[in-house]
Amino acid sequence: RRLSVDIPAQVPALYIGYNTPGINTAENPNDIYALRMLAGVLDGGYSARIETEMVRNQRITTSAGAGYGGFSLGDTLFYLSGVPAEGHTIAQLETAFEEQIDRLQTELAEPEELERVKAQIISGLVYQQDSISSQANQIGRMESIGRSWKEADEMLDKLSAVTPEQIQAVARKYLIDANKTVAILNPQPL
Protein backbone atom coordinates (compact mmCIF):
# COMPACT_ATOMS: atom_id res chain seq x y z
CA ARG A 1 0.00 0.00 0.00
CA ARG A 2 1.08 3.53 -0.68
CA LEU A 3 -0.34 6.81 0.48
CA SER A 4 0.63 10.40 0.12
CA VAL A 5 -0.23 13.19 2.52
CA ASP A 6 -0.17 16.84 1.51
CA ILE A 7 0.10 19.03 4.61
CA PRO A 8 1.81 22.27 5.58
CA ALA A 9 5.44 21.37 6.27
CA GLN A 10 8.92 22.48 5.31
CA VAL A 11 10.52 19.20 4.24
CA PRO A 12 9.31 15.94 2.68
CA ALA A 13 9.43 12.76 4.72
CA LEU A 14 9.20 9.05 4.05
CA TYR A 15 7.65 6.48 6.38
CA ILE A 16 7.73 2.76 5.67
CA GLY A 17 5.98 0.29 7.93
CA TYR A 18 6.05 -3.49 7.71
CA ASN A 19 3.29 -5.35 9.51
CA THR A 20 5.04 -7.70 11.92
CA PRO A 21 3.92 -9.82 14.82
CA GLY A 22 4.15 -8.79 18.42
CA ILE A 23 5.00 -11.11 21.27
CA ASN A 24 1.36 -12.24 21.53
CA THR A 25 0.90 -12.98 17.82
CA ALA A 26 4.27 -14.39 16.75
CA GLU A 27 4.29 -18.03 15.70
CA ASN A 28 7.89 -18.15 16.89
CA PRO A 29 8.52 -15.86 19.90
CA ASN A 30 12.23 -15.77 19.04
CA ASP A 31 11.30 -13.71 15.95
CA ILE A 32 10.51 -10.80 18.28
CA TYR A 33 14.08 -10.71 19.55
CA ALA A 34 15.56 -11.15 16.07
CA LEU A 35 13.47 -8.23 14.76
CA ARG A 36 14.67 -6.10 17.65
CA MET A 37 18.28 -6.92 16.78
CA LEU A 38 17.59 -6.27 13.09
CA ALA A 39 16.39 -2.77 14.00
CA GLY A 40 19.62 -2.29 15.96
CA VAL A 41 21.76 -3.34 13.01
CA LEU A 42 20.08 -0.65 10.93
CA ASP A 43 19.72 2.05 13.56
CA GLY A 44 21.81 1.27 16.60
CA GLY A 45 23.89 4.41 16.93
CA TYR A 46 26.70 6.13 15.10
CA SER A 47 28.23 2.99 13.62
CA ALA A 48 24.93 1.40 12.53
CA ARG A 49 24.17 0.92 8.84
CA ILE A 50 21.73 3.80 8.36
CA GLU A 51 24.01 6.34 10.00
CA THR A 52 27.20 5.01 8.39
CA GLU A 53 25.98 4.27 4.88
CA MET A 54 22.94 6.44 4.23
CA VAL A 55 23.77 9.54 6.28
CA ARG A 56 27.57 9.82 6.17
CA ASN A 57 28.68 7.84 3.09
CA GLN A 58 25.87 8.31 0.54
CA ARG A 59 24.57 11.53 2.13
CA ILE A 60 21.13 10.63 0.84
CA THR A 61 19.36 11.53 4.09
CA THR A 62 19.83 14.08 6.81
CA SER A 63 18.06 11.95 9.36
CA ALA A 64 16.66 8.46 9.22
CA GLY A 65 15.82 5.66 11.57
CA ALA A 66 14.42 2.19 12.07
CA GLY A 67 12.56 0.69 14.95
CA TYR A 68 10.51 -2.17 16.25
CA GLY A 69 8.48 -2.58 19.40
CA GLY A 70 7.59 -6.24 19.67
CA PHE A 71 6.03 -6.11 23.10
CA SER A 72 2.52 -5.19 22.07
CA LEU A 73 -0.95 -6.62 22.50
CA GLY A 74 -1.30 -7.56 18.83
CA ASP A 75 0.65 -7.13 15.62
CA THR A 76 2.91 -4.13 15.37
CA LEU A 77 5.21 -2.39 12.89
CA PHE A 78 8.82 -2.60 11.94
CA TYR A 79 9.34 0.92 10.62
CA LEU A 80 11.82 2.97 8.64
CA SER A 81 11.61 6.73 8.36
CA GLY A 82 13.69 9.49 6.93
CA VAL A 83 14.05 12.92 5.41
CA PRO A 84 15.94 13.18 2.12
CA ALA A 85 19.07 15.33 2.11
CA GLU A 86 19.15 18.41 -0.06
CA GLY A 87 19.46 17.41 -3.70
CA HIS A 88 17.90 13.98 -3.11
CA THR A 89 14.36 12.74 -3.55
CA ILE A 90 11.94 10.60 -1.60
CA ALA A 91 12.29 7.97 -4.35
CA GLN A 92 16.07 7.85 -3.87
CA LEU A 93 15.64 7.54 -0.12
CA GLU A 94 13.12 4.72 -0.53
CA THR A 95 15.55 2.93 -2.86
CA ALA A 96 18.34 3.29 -0.30
CA PHE A 97 16.12 1.75 2.38
CA GLU A 98 15.19 -1.09 -0.01
CA GLU A 99 18.89 -1.73 -0.62
CA GLN A 100 19.49 -2.02 3.12
CA ILE A 101 16.60 -4.48 3.50
CA ASP A 102 17.80 -6.49 0.50
CA ARG A 103 21.28 -6.65 2.00
CA LEU A 104 19.88 -8.00 5.28
CA GLN A 105 17.92 -10.60 3.34
CA THR A 106 20.88 -11.77 1.27
CA GLU A 107 23.92 -11.29 3.52
CA LEU A 108 24.46 -12.23 7.13
CA ALA A 109 25.16 -9.47 9.63
CA GLU A 110 28.82 -9.39 10.58
CA PRO A 111 29.53 -11.02 13.98
CA GLU A 112 31.27 -7.90 15.33
CA GLU A 113 28.39 -5.74 14.11
CA LEU A 114 25.92 -7.96 15.91
CA GLU A 115 28.01 -8.00 19.09
CA ARG A 116 28.06 -4.18 19.11
CA VAL A 117 24.28 -4.05 18.70
CA LYS A 118 23.74 -6.66 21.41
CA ALA A 119 25.97 -4.76 23.81
CA GLN A 120 24.13 -1.51 23.11
CA ILE A 121 20.61 -2.92 23.46
CA ILE A 122 21.42 -5.05 26.48
CA SER A 123 23.23 -2.24 28.29
CA GLY A 124 20.20 -0.02 27.70
CA LEU A 125 17.94 -2.63 29.27
CA VAL A 126 20.31 -3.08 32.21
CA TYR A 127 20.54 0.67 32.84
CA GLN A 128 16.75 0.88 32.88
CA GLN A 129 16.83 -1.34 35.95
CA ASP A 130 18.63 1.43 37.87
CA SER A 131 15.39 3.34 38.16
CA ILE A 132 12.43 2.18 40.22
CA SER A 133 10.05 4.05 37.91
CA SER A 134 11.56 2.31 34.84
CA GLN A 135 11.13 -1.04 36.54
CA ALA A 136 7.52 -0.20 37.38
CA ASN A 137 6.86 0.92 33.80
CA GLN A 138 8.32 -2.30 32.43
CA ILE A 139 6.19 -4.41 34.77
CA GLY A 140 3.11 -2.39 33.82
CA ARG A 141 3.82 -2.69 30.08
CA MET A 142 4.23 -6.46 30.30
CA GLU A 143 1.09 -6.95 32.38
CA SER A 144 -0.95 -4.59 30.17
CA ILE A 145 -0.34 -6.80 27.12
CA GLY A 146 -1.25 -9.96 29.00
CA ARG A 147 2.30 -11.14 29.65
CA SER A 148 3.96 -11.91 32.94
CA TRP A 149 6.35 -9.28 34.24
CA LYS A 150 8.75 -12.17 34.87
CA GLU A 151 9.31 -12.50 31.10
CA ALA A 152 11.25 -9.25 31.19
CA ASP A 153 13.97 -11.08 33.09
CA GLU A 154 14.40 -13.43 30.11
CA MET A 155 14.85 -10.64 27.54
CA LEU A 156 18.59 -10.27 28.03
CA ASP A 157 19.27 -13.94 27.44
CA LYS A 158 16.98 -14.10 24.43
CA LEU A 159 18.52 -11.01 22.84
CA SER A 160 22.02 -12.36 23.51
CA ALA A 161 21.14 -15.61 21.78
CA VAL A 162 20.07 -14.00 18.46
CA THR A 163 22.22 -15.12 15.53
CA PRO A 164 22.95 -13.51 12.15
CA GLU A 165 20.95 -16.34 10.57
CA GLN A 166 17.89 -15.47 12.67
CA ILE A 167 18.16 -11.82 11.62
CA GLN A 168 18.33 -12.83 7.97
CA ALA A 169 15.36 -15.19 8.42
CA VAL A 170 13.08 -12.52 9.93
CA ALA A 171 14.13 -10.01 7.27
CA ARG A 172 13.13 -12.52 4.59
CA LYS A 173 9.92 -13.48 6.37
CA TYR A 174 8.50 -10.12 7.41
CA LEU A 175 10.18 -7.30 5.45
CA ILE A 176 8.37 -8.13 2.23
CA ASP A 177 6.13 -6.12 -0.09
CA ALA A 178 2.97 -7.95 1.05
CA ASN A 179 3.51 -6.53 4.56
CA LYS A 180 4.64 -3.05 3.45
CA THR A 181 2.94 0.33 3.64
CA VAL A 182 4.68 3.45 2.36
CA ALA A 183 3.57 6.92 3.40
CA ILE A 184 5.02 10.07 1.88
CA LEU A 185 4.66 13.52 3.35
CA ASN A 186 4.53 16.09 0.56
CA PRO A 187 5.21 19.50 2.10
CA GLN A 188 2.82 22.31 1.28
CA PRO A 189 3.42 26.01 1.83
CA LEU A 190 2.94 27.02 5.45
Side-chain angles (χ1 to χ4, degrees):
R1 290 177 286 216
R2 297 184 77 80
L3 63 112
S4 184
V5 179
D6 299 329
I7 60 172
Q10 293 183 0
V11 295
L14 172 68
Y15 303 92
I16 301 171
Y18 291 92
N19 186 52
T20 52
I23 191 70
N24 288 325
T25 57
E27 292 174 17
N28 180 354
N30 291 327
D31 287 357
I32 303 313
Y33 301 99
L35 283 163
R36 176 90 184 265
M37 296 304 290
L38 190 158
V41 168
L42 288 174
D43 187 21
Y46 190 74
S47 57
R49 292 182 181 187
I50 287 175
E51 180 66 30
T52 300
E53 297 173 19
M54 294 173 60
V55 175
R56 291 195 318 268
N57 293 349
Q58 297 174 355
R59 296 184 178 168
I60 202 161
T61 180
T62 55
S63 66
Y68 172 73
F71 286 87
S72 59
L73 192 55
D75 283 352
T76 188
L77 291 176
F78 183 97
Y79 69 87
L80 302 160
S81 62
V83 173
E86 191 172 330
H88 292 279
T89 66
I90 288 286
Q92 290 170 319
L93 180 56
E94 185 174 355
T95 298
F97 276 132
E98 289 170 354
E99 289 168 357
Q100 291 298 325
I101 298 301
D102 182 61
R103 185 173 160 207
L104 286 163
Q105 293 170 335
T106 58
E107 301 173 16
L108 294 177
E110 297 293 329
E112 56 276 354
E113 178 181 36
L114 191 53
E115 288 307 312
R116 177 191 48 78
V117 172
K118 284 180 183 181
Q120 183 179 27
I121 290 174
I122 290 168
S123 66
L125 290 171
V126 169
Y127 289 134
Q128 284 179 348
Q129 299 303 313
D130 289 346
S131 162
I132 296 296
S133 64
S134 290
Q135 291 177 37
N137 283 333
Q138 185 177 42
I139 290 168
R141 277 194 307 272
M142 294 299 285
E143 294 290 335
S144 72
I145 62 169
R147 308 299 288 200
S148 169
W149 61 271
K150 294 176 185 178
E151 284 184 67
D153 293 338
E154 301 168 3
M155 276 188 227
L156 299 177
D157 291 336
K158 290 184 178 185
L159 287 167
S160 293
V162 172
T163 66
E165 291 80 10
Q166 287 174 301
I167 291 173
Q168 184 179 56
V170 295
R172 288 177 175 173
K173 184 175 182 179
Y174 299 114
L175 305 186
I176 58 174
D177 286 345
N179 295 346
K180 182 179 179 182
T181 300
V182 177
I184 298 169
L185 184 151
N186 292 313
Q188 302 300 304
L190 300 175

